[in-house]
Amino acid sequence: INAHVGKFDISASGWYVDYGVDAISREKTIYHKTNALMEADSEIGLGVNDGAANISAVAELNPRHSIGLALEFQSTRQEGPTDSYTSYRMGDYEQLNVSRYAMMDKSTRYAAALNYIIKTDTLGSTLKFIVDYNQSAPTKGEDSHAMIDENGIQTDSLYNYRNTSLFRIATASVARERTLSSHWKLKYGAKYTYNEINSASQYRYLNAGVWMPSVVDDFDISYAENIGAAYATATMNYGRFSAVVGLRGEYTYTDGGRESGVSQKYFSLFPNANFSFALDKSGKHSLVAQYSRNIARPSFWNLTPNRQQISDYTFQSGNPLLKPQYTDNITVTAVVAYKYSLTLGMNIRHDAIQQIVLQDPNNPQMMELTYKNLPTDNFYLASLNLPFNVTKWWDWNTNITGLISKQRITEDSEFEVNEVAQWNTNMTFKLPKKFFIDVYYQGMTSAKVSNIRMKGNHSMTFNIKKQIKDSWTLQCGL
């Protein structure tokens, strides 16, 4: 719903979804040193209930001053069982596991934002004050029951896990945009971000009718992250040449007290530059060069070390020791006839955050899917974009990208080089009587990231659409 009432522009929306997912997983692990074999079949049944509502309003106090407010609420709930059958064989020894994991994951989120904007001249200069707040309260749980047959001797186990968390994020920023002339623009500002993380987990198993602490350690992580940033960006346009040059500085201070072991202080600079040159007067052909440095901080879920059971021999967890990932991006793009383009580039990543499979040090039979900072994880790319108007009734757009990655999993390991190709193509056919056919195909070759190899994949979507008058569209797809 959107409405204009007096000086107010008001928007409100809401949605709710209820659906189920069934997934089947087959797993096979060969242990070469012990000549053992593990095979597992799992079936996951998942029910999902999601809903959200939001409302926002902007008031134009006068032609130069405006104020805006936005509020949002979201609720998510997922629950369902995982049934698993696992066989582990080593010589004459055989162990069979039949288990059920019943999981529950629910969360509520509240968000609010407020801004105040002042137009300082008639050229488009502005001064903005913005504050926002987000709060999320997820709860996770798992109850598991496993029946174990070890060379004909049967035992069973009962196990449960509970995790409760509270996350708060608040930001405050001031941003100034000044149009100095028709050739020059200047942007500068400052921002403060506060991240508060509270997460506690408890693991228990049943022994002689008493719930006992598990071999998996309970944990209670609480820490606050403070980020102060300042930036400045200059934009210049002169004839065929234009440039954008900027610099951002960030200071991060994180403290969780002695209990959490989380304590970080670091300052980072992030330069960026964009230069473009038109090869002809109309700008039909051009060259663009770009450089930027950015940071990717690990997410809450990547840091939280709670264990999520995938099968009897595989679990997933976060890594609280992850460091931020820094990336230097360099690209050069040639544009022909406004639409055809060729891009060459490279991404140099420092402490790249990647998923990796490791052996559990407490149980060599167990595989842990977790996250790690890789010492080297760079890639070099070439990307070609080709949009064609084949006929009046046939549009065809194709993008092809080739990647060469270079990585090391540990400081003393050798470099690994992997090649990957990605492509997507989209065709639209305009038929009589306002019928349309869309065909979309995308794919990629196999790829290796850290020590995980992903097979190549391909997908195709086919849609036929009928436009009814000017307001309705009927669509069927496969």
Side-chain angles (χ1 to χ4, degrees), residues 364-410:
Q365 295 179 3
M366 291 291 292
M367 296 282 104
E368 178 184 12
L369 185 61
T370 186
Y371 296 89
K372 182 181 177 182
N373 292 111
L374 302 190
T376 304
D377 184 25
N378 307 327
F379 66 85
Y380 309 86
L381 67 91
S383 182
L384 185 63
N385 189 52
L386 300 172
F388 293 108
N389 298 109
V390 184
T391 66
K392 292 182 180 180
W393 48 269
W394 180 7
D395 293 332
W396 186 8
N397 186 23
T398 298
N399 179 269
I400 303 171
T401 301
L403 299 169
I404 298 176
S405 70
K406 187 177 182 180
Q407 69 170 16
R408 282 187 304 156
I409 297 178
T410 62

Side-chain angles (χ1 to χ4, degrees), residues 233-252:
T233 302
T235 302
M236 182 271 290
N237 288 283
Y238 271 102
R240 298 187 185 183
F241 183 74
S242 65
V244 179
V245 178
L247 179 65
R248 187 175 84 254
E250 287 187 0
Y251 177 75
T252 302

Side-chain angles (χ1 to χ4, degrees), residues 11-309:
S11 297
S13 66
W15 55 267
Y16 174 76
V17 295
D18 184 352
Y19 65 94
V21 177
D22 290 312
I24 295 175
S25 169
R26 292 186 173 89
E27 182 180 355
K28 182 177 182 179
T29 302
I30 300 172
Y31 303 87
H32 295 286
K33 291 183 179 180
T34 57
N35 194 28
L37 174 66
M38 186 274 287
E39 294 180 288
D41 287 306
S42 300
E43 183 172 355
I44 302 172
L46 185 66
V48 180
N49 303 101
D50 288 351
N54 62 72
I55 184 170
S56 63
V58 177
E60 187 175 323
L61 306 179
N62 57 51
R64 292 185 55 193
H65 294 255
S66 65
I67 187 170
L69 174 67
L71 303 172
E72 183 174 357
F73 170 78
Q74 183 173 349
S75 176
T76 302
R77 184 179 183 92
Q78 301 181 23
E79 57 185 351
T82 298
D83 293 297
S84 179
Y85 174 86
T86 306
S87 169
Y88 179 84
R89 295 188 297 274
M90 184 174 64
D92 295 333
Y93 172 82
E94 182 175 12
Q95 178 176 308
L96 300 176
N97 291 29
V98 179
S99 59
R100 162 167 282 214
Y101 308 103
M103 63 81 66
M104 176 272 296
D105 186 348
K106 62 180 181 180
S107 176
T108 56
R109 186 176 74 87
Y110 304 89
L114 177 69
N115 66 47
Y116 188 85
I117 300 175
I118 304 172
K119 298 177 182 178
T120 56
D121 58 33
T122 58
L123 300 175
S125 302
T126 60
L127 176 61
K128 300 178 182 179
F129 301 92
I130 304 170
V131 295
D132 61 43
Y133 176 79
N134 270 268
Q135 176 176 304
S136 176
T139 301
K140 293 184 176 183
E142 184 180 283
D143 296 300
S144 67
H145 180 207
M147 299 291 294
I148 304 167
D149 188 316
E150 193 170 4
N151 280 351
I153 301 174
Q154 293 187 348
T155 57
D156 69 345
S157 68
L158 286 171
Y159 169 91
N160 67 39
Y161 146 71
R162 296 292 182 267
N163 172 263
T164 57
S165 303
L166 177 64
F167 304 127
R168 294 189 178 100
I169 305 174
T171 72
S173 63
V174 56
R176 182 76 164 106
E177 298 184 15
R178 296 185 63 190
T179 302
L180 304 177
S181 68
S182 58
H183 299 293
W184 287 92
K185 290 183 179 180
L186 183 63
K187 298 180 181 180
Y188 52 91
K191 183 177 182 179
Y192 168 74
T193 302
Y194 173 82
N195 291 331
E196 181 186 337
I197 301 169
N198 303 279
S199 185
S201 281
Q202 178 177 282
Y203 302 84
R204 296 292 182 268
Y205 73 96
L206 192 64
N207 185 13
V210 179
W211 288 103
M212 305 291 292
S214 171
V215 293
V216 182
D217 293 333
D218 297 345
F219 69 86
D220 188 347
I221 294 179
S222 298
Y223 65 90
E225 181 181 59
N226 300 270
I227 305 169
Y231 69 92
T233 302
T235 302
M236 182 271 290
N237 288 283
Y238 271 102
R240 298 187 185 183
F241 183 74
S242 65
V244 179
V245 178
L247 179 65
R248 187 175 84 254
E250 287 187 0
Y251 177 75
T252 302
Y253 170 64
T254 304
D255 184 29
R258 296 180 181 178
E259 293 80 9
S260 70
V262 178
S263 180
Q264 294 179 335
K265 295 180 183 178
Y266 55 91
F267 177 77
S268 307
L269 285 174
F270 302 95
N272 66 85
N274 181 309
F275 303 98
S276 63
F277 180 74
L279 300 176
D280 61 327
K281 291 183 179 180
S282 64
K284 191 175 182 180
H285 314 296
S286 61
L287 293 174
V288 180
Q290 294 178 308
Y291 167 77
S292 67
R293 177 177 172 84
N294 56 43
I295 185 172
R297 294 180 176 84
S299 70
F300 297 144
W301 313 119
N302 292 352
L303 290 168
T304 306
N306 62 284
R307 295 165 66 122
Q308 180 180 352
Q309 205 75 24

Side-chain angles (χ1 to χ4, degrees), residues 291-365:
Y291 167 77
S292 67
R293 177 177 172 84
N294 56 43
I295 185 172
R297 294 180 176 84
S299 70
F300 297 144
W301 313 119
N302 292 352
L303 290 168
T304 306
N306 62 284
R307 295 165 66 122
Q308 180 180 352
Q309 205 75 24
I310 298 176
S311 72
D312 292 310
Y313 288 89
T314 307
F315 66 92
Q316 182 171 334
S317 69
N319 177 6
L321 301 179
L322 284 176
K323 295 181 289 186
Q325 168 185 302
Y326 293 88
T327 306
D328 292 294
N329 308 286
I330 302 172
T331 60
V332 177
T333 301
V335 180
V336 178
Y338 295 123
K339 54 184 180 179
Y340 307 107
S341 67
L342 173 64
T343 298
L344 303 177
M346 59 181 175
N347 285 19
I348 310 299
R349 293 191 280 193
H350 314 274
D351 292 320
I353 300 173
Q354 295 287 9
Q355 257 191 334
I356 189 168
V357 177
L358 302 173
Q359 253 184 340
D360 184 358
N362 299 319
N363 183 356
Q365 295 179 3

